[in-house]
Amino acid sequence: MSTTGAVANVLTLIAIMLVLAFLFFGYIDRIGPIAGIVSNYTNANASQIGNESVANSTGTANVTQANAQLLAYALNLINKDRNAYGLGNVTLSTEPSAQQHSASMLVGDYFSHWDVFGMKPYMRYTLLGGRGAVSENIAYRYSAQCGIFGCSGDINVTQALQEMEYSMMYNDSQCCNNGHRDNILDPYHNQVSIGIAYNASSVYFTEDFIDNYIAWSKYGINQSSDEMLLYGTIAQPYTFSSVQIIYDSPVRNMTRAQLDNTSSYGYGNIVAGVVGNPSYYYPGIDTIVADQYSTSSNRLGIAFGMKSLMQKYGAGEYIVLVWLNRTGSGGSGFVGSTYTVFVNSSKSVYTPSGV
Protein backbone atom coordinates (compact mmCIF):
# COMPACT_ATOMS: atom_id res chain seq x y z
CA MET A 1 0.00 0.00 0.00
CA SER A 2 1.33 3.44 -0.88
CA THR A 3 2.10 6.05 1.73
CA THR A 4 -0.64 8.25 0.29
CA GLY A 5 -3.13 5.43 0.55
CA ALA A 6 -2.12 4.70 4.16
CA VAL A 7 -2.53 8.34 5.13
CA ALA A 8 -5.94 8.43 3.45
CA ASN A 9 -7.00 5.34 5.37
CA VAL A 10 -5.85 6.85 8.66
CA LEU A 11 -7.72 10.07 7.95
CA THR A 12 -10.83 8.12 7.02
CA LEU A 13 -10.57 6.10 10.23
CA ILE A 14 -10.21 9.28 12.29
CA ALA A 15 -13.24 10.79 10.57
CA ILE A 16 -15.29 7.69 11.32
CA MET A 17 -14.17 7.78 14.96
CA LEU A 18 -15.19 11.42 15.27
CA VAL A 19 -18.62 10.69 13.84
CA LEU A 20 -19.07 7.72 16.17
CA ALA A 21 -17.84 9.75 19.13
CA PHE A 22 -20.34 12.50 18.35
CA LEU A 23 -23.14 9.97 18.11
CA PHE A 24 -22.04 8.32 21.34
CA PHE A 25 -21.57 11.46 23.41
CA GLY A 26 -24.42 13.24 21.69
CA TYR A 27 -25.80 16.62 22.42
CA ILE A 28 -26.23 17.54 26.07
CA ASP A 29 -29.22 19.78 26.65
CA ARG A 30 -31.07 19.78 29.92
CA ILE A 31 -33.20 21.90 32.16
CA GLY A 32 -32.24 21.43 35.77
CA PRO A 33 -34.72 20.52 38.49
CA ILE A 34 -36.50 23.51 39.96
CA ALA A 35 -36.81 23.40 43.72
CA GLY A 36 -40.07 24.46 45.39
CA ILE A 37 -40.70 27.75 47.15
CA VAL A 38 -41.87 28.67 50.11
CA SER A 39 -20.31 25.03 63.47
CA ASN A 40 -21.80 28.66 63.88
CA TYR A 41 -22.11 31.23 61.19
CA THR A 42 -18.97 33.34 61.44
CA ASN A 43 -17.84 36.68 60.12
CA ALA A 44 -15.17 34.92 58.08
CA ASN A 45 -17.46 32.72 56.02
CA ALA A 46 -19.87 35.60 55.39
CA SER A 47 -17.25 37.97 54.06
CA GLN A 48 -17.92 37.24 50.40
CA ILE A 49 -21.70 37.00 50.32
CA GLY A 50 -21.85 40.01 48.02
CA ASN A 51 -18.84 38.98 45.97
CA GLU A 52 -19.75 37.42 42.63
CA SER A 53 -16.23 36.07 42.10
CA VAL A 54 -16.16 33.58 44.95
CA ALA A 55 -13.85 30.78 43.88
CA ASN A 56 -14.74 27.13 44.27
CA SER A 57 -12.35 24.19 44.34
CA THR A 58 -11.83 24.37 40.58
CA GLY A 59 -11.10 28.07 40.49
CA THR A 60 -13.12 31.18 39.75
CA ALA A 61 -15.80 30.72 37.12
CA ASN A 62 -16.20 33.05 34.18
CA VAL A 63 -19.50 34.67 35.16
CA THR A 64 -21.41 37.00 32.87
CA GLN A 65 -24.10 39.10 34.49
CA ALA A 66 -27.39 40.02 32.87
CA ASN A 67 -27.46 43.30 30.98
CA ALA A 68 -30.43 45.66 30.93
CA GLN A 69 -31.90 44.02 27.84
CA LEU A 70 -31.89 40.55 29.40
CA LEU A 71 -33.42 41.84 32.63
CA ALA A 72 -36.15 43.61 30.68
CA TYR A 73 -36.77 40.45 28.66
CA ALA A 74 -37.10 38.31 31.80
CA LEU A 75 -39.36 40.89 33.46
CA ASN A 76 -41.60 40.90 30.39
CA LEU A 77 -41.90 37.09 30.55
CA ILE A 78 -42.95 37.29 34.20
CA ASN A 79 -45.49 40.06 33.66
CA LYS A 80 -46.90 38.37 30.59
CA ASP A 81 -47.66 35.32 32.73
CA ARG A 82 -49.20 37.48 35.46
CA ASN A 83 -51.29 39.49 33.01
CA ALA A 84 -52.67 36.28 31.48
CA TYR A 85 -54.29 35.56 34.86
CA GLY A 86 -55.59 39.05 35.49
CA LEU A 87 -52.76 40.20 37.75
CA GLY A 88 -50.90 43.49 37.59
CA ASN A 89 -47.27 43.91 36.69
CA VAL A 90 -44.42 43.60 39.14
CA THR A 91 -41.70 46.22 38.80
CA LEU A 92 -37.99 45.46 38.62
CA SER A 93 -36.30 45.84 41.99
CA THR A 94 -32.76 47.17 42.26
CA GLU A 95 -32.08 44.95 45.28
CA PRO A 96 -29.17 42.61 44.39
CA SER A 97 -30.34 39.43 46.13
CA ALA A 98 -31.33 37.52 42.98
CA GLN A 99 -28.24 38.44 40.97
CA GLN A 100 -25.96 37.56 43.86
CA HIS A 101 -27.53 34.12 44.21
CA SER A 102 -27.48 33.30 40.48
CA ALA A 103 -23.80 34.24 40.33
CA SER A 104 -23.06 32.23 43.47
CA MET A 105 -24.70 29.11 42.01
CA LEU A 106 -22.85 29.44 38.73
CA VAL A 107 -19.48 30.02 40.40
CA GLY A 108 -20.03 27.28 42.98
CA ASP A 109 -21.53 24.85 40.45
CA TYR A 110 -24.57 24.04 42.61
CA PHE A 111 -28.34 24.46 42.46
CA SER A 112 -30.24 25.23 45.64
CA HIS A 113 -32.26 27.87 47.50
CA TRP A 114 -29.57 27.57 50.18
CA ASP A 115 -26.08 28.92 49.48
CA VAL A 116 -22.58 27.76 50.36
CA PHE A 117 -22.87 29.51 53.73
CA GLY A 118 -26.07 27.59 54.54
CA MET A 119 -28.26 30.68 54.28
CA LYS A 120 -31.83 30.72 53.00
CA PRO A 121 -33.17 33.46 50.69
CA TYR A 122 -34.66 35.67 53.41
CA MET A 123 -31.36 35.65 55.31
CA ARG A 124 -29.39 36.78 52.27
CA TYR A 125 -32.10 39.33 51.55
CA THR A 126 -31.57 41.06 54.90
CA LEU A 127 -27.78 41.02 54.55
CA LEU A 128 -28.02 42.62 51.11
CA GLY A 129 -30.28 45.44 52.29
CA GLY A 130 -33.77 44.10 51.55
CA ARG A 131 -36.62 45.63 53.55
CA GLY A 132 -39.68 43.85 52.20
CA ALA A 133 -40.50 40.15 52.18
CA VAL A 134 -38.96 37.81 49.61
CA SER A 135 -40.11 34.53 47.99
CA GLU A 136 -37.66 32.83 45.64
CA ASN A 137 -37.86 30.87 42.40
CA ILE A 138 -34.71 29.37 40.87
CA ALA A 139 -34.01 27.50 37.63
CA TYR A 140 -31.04 26.59 35.48
CA ARG A 141 -30.34 25.42 31.96
CA TYR A 142 -27.27 23.69 30.55
CA SER A 143 -26.54 23.15 26.89
CA ALA A 144 -23.33 21.98 25.21
CA GLN A 145 -22.14 20.12 22.14
CA CYS A 146 -19.94 17.18 23.14
CA GLY A 147 -17.64 14.86 21.25
CA ILE A 148 -14.36 13.00 21.56
CA PHE A 149 -12.45 16.18 22.32
CA GLY A 150 -14.81 17.30 25.07
CA CYS A 151 -17.71 19.74 25.22
CA SER A 152 -18.15 23.26 23.97
CA GLY A 153 -20.87 25.55 25.20
CA ASP A 154 -23.57 26.85 22.89
CA ILE A 155 -26.18 28.27 25.26
CA ASN A 156 -28.82 30.64 23.95
CA VAL A 157 -29.58 32.81 26.98
CA THR A 158 -32.87 34.35 25.84
CA GLN A 159 -34.22 30.99 24.72
CA ALA A 160 -33.15 29.46 28.02
CA LEU A 161 -34.95 32.18 29.98
CA GLN A 162 -38.12 31.65 27.97
CA GLU A 163 -38.03 27.89 28.51
CA MET A 164 -37.31 28.20 32.24
CA GLU A 165 -40.16 30.66 32.79
CA TYR A 166 -42.50 28.41 30.82
CA SER A 167 -41.40 25.39 32.83
CA MET A 168 -42.03 27.15 36.13
CA MET A 169 -45.48 28.27 34.97
CA TYR A 170 -46.78 25.23 33.09
CA ASN A 171 -44.60 22.24 33.97
CA ASP A 172 -44.15 22.70 37.70
CA SER A 173 -46.60 20.24 39.24
CA GLN A 174 -44.41 17.13 39.11
CA CYS A 175 -41.28 18.66 40.59
CA CYS A 176 -42.63 21.31 42.89
CA ASN A 177 -46.39 21.06 43.47
CA ASN A 178 -46.83 24.27 41.47
CA GLY A 179 -44.85 26.25 44.03
CA HIS A 180 -43.10 28.35 41.39
CA ARG A 181 -46.31 28.97 39.50
CA ASP A 182 -48.04 30.07 42.72
CA ASN A 183 -45.14 32.39 43.42
CA ILE A 184 -45.30 34.00 39.97
CA LEU A 185 -49.07 34.45 40.36
CA ASP A 186 -49.10 35.73 43.94
CA PRO A 187 -51.30 38.86 43.87
CA TYR A 188 -49.41 40.52 46.74
CA HIS A 189 -46.05 40.61 44.97
CA ASN A 190 -45.34 44.07 43.61
CA GLN A 191 -41.62 43.83 42.82
CA VAL A 192 -39.12 41.25 41.62
CA SER A 193 -35.35 41.10 41.86
CA ILE A 194 -34.06 39.19 38.82
CA GLY A 195 -30.72 37.38 38.70
CA ILE A 196 -29.26 36.00 35.48
CA ALA A 197 -25.71 34.61 35.52
CA TYR A 198 -24.28 32.56 32.67
CA ASN A 199 -21.24 31.31 30.84
CA ALA A 200 -20.88 29.51 27.50
CA SER A 201 -22.87 26.46 28.56
CA SER A 202 -25.01 27.35 31.62
CA VAL A 203 -27.63 29.87 32.67
CA TYR A 204 -28.83 30.33 36.25
CA PHE A 205 -32.09 32.23 36.71
CA THR A 206 -33.34 33.58 40.05
CA GLU A 207 -36.64 35.35 40.64
CA ASP A 208 -36.86 36.97 44.08
CA PHE A 209 -40.47 38.15 44.31
CA ILE A 210 -40.93 40.93 46.83
CA ASP A 211 -43.81 42.34 48.85
CA ASN A 212 -42.78 45.93 49.47
CA TYR A 213 -45.50 48.09 51.02
CA ILE A 214 -43.80 49.78 53.98
CA ALA A 215 -41.64 52.93 53.77
CA TRP A 216 -39.35 52.42 56.75
CA SER A 217 -37.92 55.33 58.74
CA LYS A 218 -36.33 53.17 61.46
CA TYR A 219 -35.77 49.51 60.70
CA GLY A 220 -33.56 46.85 62.21
CA ILE A 221 -31.89 45.65 65.37
CA ASN A 222 -29.98 47.91 67.74
CA GLN A 223 -26.96 45.73 68.47
CA SER A 224 -26.10 47.48 71.73
CA SER A 225 -29.57 47.18 73.28
CA ASP A 226 -30.93 44.14 71.38
CA GLU A 227 -34.03 46.19 70.63
CA MET A 228 -35.86 45.76 67.34
CA LEU A 229 -37.16 48.96 65.72
CA LEU A 230 -40.06 48.95 63.26
CA TYR A 231 -41.09 52.49 62.34
CA GLY A 232 -42.66 53.25 59.01
CA THR A 233 -45.64 54.15 56.84
CA ILE A 234 -47.76 51.43 55.24
CA ALA A 235 -49.05 52.03 51.72
CA GLN A 236 -52.80 52.16 51.24
CA PRO A 237 -54.98 50.08 51.16
CA TYR A 238 -52.90 47.87 53.49
CA THR A 239 -52.96 47.78 57.28
CA PHE A 240 -50.79 46.27 60.00
CA SER A 241 -51.74 42.87 61.38
CA SER A 242 -49.08 41.47 63.73
CA VAL A 243 -45.40 40.78 64.43
CA GLN A 244 -44.08 37.26 64.89
CA ILE A 245 -40.56 35.89 65.37
CA ILE A 246 -39.18 32.75 63.75
CA TYR A 247 -36.12 30.88 64.99
CA ASP A 248 -33.71 29.04 62.66
CA SER A 249 -30.80 27.01 64.03
CA PRO A 250 -27.28 28.35 63.30
CA VAL A 251 -26.38 28.14 59.64
CA ARG A 252 -23.30 26.18 58.61
CA ASN A 253 -21.24 26.02 55.46
CA MET A 254 -22.63 23.52 52.98
CA THR A 255 -20.83 21.34 50.44
CA ARG A 256 -21.99 20.96 46.87
CA ALA A 257 -23.29 17.47 47.66
CA GLN A 258 -25.33 18.83 50.57
CA LEU A 259 -26.71 21.65 48.44
CA ASP A 260 -27.68 19.27 45.66
CA ASN A 261 -29.74 17.26 48.17
CA THR A 262 -31.89 20.22 49.20
CA SER A 263 -35.35 20.89 47.82
CA SER A 264 -37.98 23.35 49.01
CA TYR A 265 -37.28 25.80 51.81
CA GLY A 266 -39.39 27.35 54.51
CA TYR A 267 -39.20 29.42 57.65
CA GLY A 268 -38.05 27.89 60.91
CA ASN A 269 -40.24 27.58 63.98
CA ILE A 270 -42.50 30.34 65.29
CA VAL A 271 -41.20 31.06 68.80
CA ALA A 272 -42.75 34.41 69.76
CA GLY A 273 -45.33 37.06 69.04
CA VAL A 274 -45.24 40.75 69.93
CA VAL A 275 -48.10 42.56 71.70
CA GLY A 276 -48.67 46.08 72.91
CA ASN A 277 -50.97 45.24 75.80
CA PRO A 278 -49.63 43.08 78.69
CA SER A 279 -53.05 41.44 79.05
CA TYR A 280 -52.72 39.89 75.59
CA TYR A 281 -50.68 36.80 74.88
CA TYR A 282 -49.84 34.26 72.19
CA PRO A 283 -50.87 30.74 73.25
CA GLY A 284 -48.15 28.10 72.95
CA ILE A 285 -45.27 30.47 72.16
CA ASP A 286 -43.44 33.29 73.93
CA THR A 287 -45.15 36.65 74.17
CA ILE A 288 -43.04 39.80 74.02
CA VAL A 289 -44.60 42.99 75.37
CA ALA A 290 -43.33 45.85 73.24
CA ASP A 291 -41.74 48.96 74.74
CA GLN A 292 -43.67 50.94 72.15
CA TYR A 293 -46.62 49.71 70.09
CA SER A 294 -48.33 52.33 67.95
CA THR A 295 -50.30 51.18 64.91
CA SER A 296 -52.68 54.09 64.35
CA SER A 297 -53.95 54.66 60.81
CA ASN A 298 -51.26 53.55 58.37
CA ARG A 299 -48.34 54.48 60.60
CA LEU A 300 -46.30 51.87 62.40
CA GLY A 301 -44.19 52.49 65.49
CA ILE A 302 -43.08 49.34 67.30
CA ALA A 303 -40.00 48.78 69.46
CA PHE A 304 -39.36 45.64 71.48
CA GLY A 305 -36.47 43.86 73.17
CA MET A 306 -35.21 40.47 72.02
CA LYS A 307 -32.61 39.72 74.71
CA SER A 308 -34.78 37.29 76.70
CA LEU A 309 -35.65 35.37 73.56
CA MET A 310 -32.00 35.15 72.49
CA GLN A 311 -31.00 33.95 75.94
CA LYS A 312 -33.63 31.23 75.75
CA TYR A 313 -32.80 29.88 72.29
CA GLY A 314 -29.16 30.90 71.93
CA ALA A 315 -27.16 31.08 68.72
CA GLY A 316 -29.05 31.11 65.46
CA GLU A 317 -31.12 33.33 63.21
CA TYR A 318 -34.18 35.19 64.48
CA ILE A 319 -36.49 36.30 61.68
CA VAL A 320 -38.91 39.12 62.48
CA LEU A 321 -42.06 38.84 60.34
CA VAL A 322 -44.35 41.85 59.90
CA TRP A 323 -47.80 40.71 58.80
CA LEU A 324 -50.13 42.95 56.80
CA ASN A 325 -53.74 42.81 55.64
CA ARG A 326 -55.45 44.34 52.66
CA THR A 327 -58.29 46.54 53.82
CA GLY A 328 -61.62 44.82 53.22
CA SER A 329 -60.07 41.60 51.94
CA GLY A 330 -61.18 39.47 54.87
CA GLY A 331 -58.20 37.21 54.19
CA SER A 332 -55.49 35.80 56.41
CA GLY A 333 -52.98 38.46 55.45
CA PHE A 334 -49.45 38.21 54.10
CA VAL A 335 -45.89 38.86 55.22
CA GLY A 336 -44.93 42.42 54.34
CA SER A 337 -41.40 42.39 55.75
CA THR A 338 -38.77 39.98 57.06
CA TYR A 339 -35.67 40.96 59.00
CA THR A 340 -33.04 38.41 60.03
CA VAL A 341 -31.16 38.95 63.28
CA PHE A 342 -27.91 36.95 63.49
CA VAL A 343 -26.89 35.77 66.97
CA ASN A 344 -23.58 34.04 67.68
CA SER A 345 -22.61 31.47 70.29
CA SER A 346 -22.06 34.15 72.93
CA LYS A 347 -25.69 35.21 72.42
CA SER A 348 -24.57 38.52 70.96
CA VAL A 349 -26.20 40.17 67.96
CA TYR A 350 -23.83 40.75 65.07
CA THR A 351 -23.78 41.51 61.36
CA PRO A 352 -21.58 39.35 59.14
CA SER A 353 -18.73 41.46 57.88
CA GLY A 354 -17.77 42.20 54.29
CA VAL A 355 -21.35 42.42 53.01
Side-chain angles (χ1 to χ4, degrees), residues 11-31:
L11 292 175
T12 301
L13 180 60
I14 291 174
I16 293 173
M17 290 175 64
L18 289 173
V19 171
L20 291 175
F22 173 78
L23 292 174
F24 178 75
F25 288 103
Y27 182 78
I28 298 176
D29 188 9
R30 69 177 186 267
I31 296 178

Side-chain angles (χ1 to χ4, degrees), residues 74-115:
L75 180 64
N76 181 64
L77 291 175
I78 293 167
N79 282 328
K80 193 173 179 181
D81 286 333
R82 288 177 61 88
N83 297 163
Y85 287 84
L87 298 174
N89 288 348
V90 290
T91 60
L92 185 64
S93 170
T94 58
E95 292 168 349
S97 60
Q99 184 59 47
Q100 183 276 331
H101 192 52
S102 285
S104 174
M105 288 190 291
L106 180 58
V107 171
D109 191 23
Y110 70 93
F111 183 75
S112 174
H113 287 294
W114 281 259
D115 62 20

